[in-house]
Amino acid sequence: MAPVSSSNLIVSFGEMLIDFVPTVSGVSLAEAPGFLKAPGGAPANVAIAVSRLGGKAAFVGKLGDDEFGHMLAGILKENGVSADGVNFDKGARTALAFVTLRADGEREFMFYRNPSADMLLNPDELNLDLIRSVSVCVFFLFFVWIVMESRGEHA
């Protein structure tokens, strides 16, 4: 994908992962008979929503250098989101989350990170040209905490 023009660019920073959702609704994770994979992660969802609404969007984050990571980067591109800020980690896998909405209306999550690639993005891996060109940045607290921890800072 060609670099995104800086005019009205919105950049979303954070996680992109694979959500596994039950094949039936209203059950706990343990009760689910099976799961379907779906792209997930609030920051990536925001970038895709901006693009689908006609805006210019980019995503900054880290994925595993694995099949899921490359699938997710492809989904960004298919949805018109610049992946110029995406890094791949050869030593860590793409994050997985099992997600359900129980019958009582409560959401239930189970994450698989050991740590996952999204937790390992370092400041020196950031595409600074992309970041300098933004009009609006969308940060998610977990990502900001990761960057601060990597610098030895504490929130």
Side-chain angles (χ1 to χ4, degrees), residues 80-119:
V81 175
S82 170
D84 292 344
V86 172
N87 290 277
F88 293 95
D89 192 303
K90 292 188 183 302
R93 298 204 181 267
T94 300
L96 306 177
F98 287 80
V99 185
T100 192
L101 183 62
R102 298 187 318 220
D104 64 6
E106 291 295 317
R107 294 184 302 167
E108 186 178 350
F109 296 92
M110 185 181 301
F111 291 94
Y112 284 83
R113 295 181 156 129
N114 191 31
S116 54
D118 62 309
M119 299 173 74

Side-chain angles (χ1 to χ4, degrees), residues 13 60-62 84-85 87 89 117-132 139 143-153:
F13 293 78
V60 174
K62 198 169 196 180
D84 292 344
N87 290 277
D89 192 303
D118 62 309
M119 299 173 74
L120 301 173
L121 182 63
N122 293 306
D124 62 330
E125 296 174 303
L126 296 173
N127 179 337
L128 297 180
D129 291 334
L130 175 67
I131 293 168
R132 287 184 189 110
F139 290 96
F143 174 76
V144 172
W145 176 80
I146 294 296
V147 171
M148 290 177 69
E149 285 294 311
S150 73
R151 293 180 179 169
E153 302 169 2

Side-chain angles (χ1 to χ4, degrees), residues 13-32:
F13 293 78
E15 69 180 1
M16 186 171 196
L17 48 78
I18 298 292
D19 281 337
F20 285 94
V21 294
T23 55
V24 297
S25 60
V27 298
S28 71
L29 291 174
E31 296 167 331

Side-chain angles (χ1 to χ4, degrees), residues 1-13 47 50-51 54-60 80-85 127-138:
M1 173 176 272
V4 175
S5 158
S6 63
S7 176
N8 298 319
L9 177 64
I10 297 174
V11 176
S12 189
F13 293 78
V50 166
S51 180
K56 294 178 185 174
F59 175 77
V60 174
V81 175
S82 170
D84 292 344
N127 179 337
L128 297 180
D129 291 334
L130 175 67
I131 293 168
R132 287 184 189 110
S133 71
V134 303
S135 298
V136 176
C137 289
V138 179

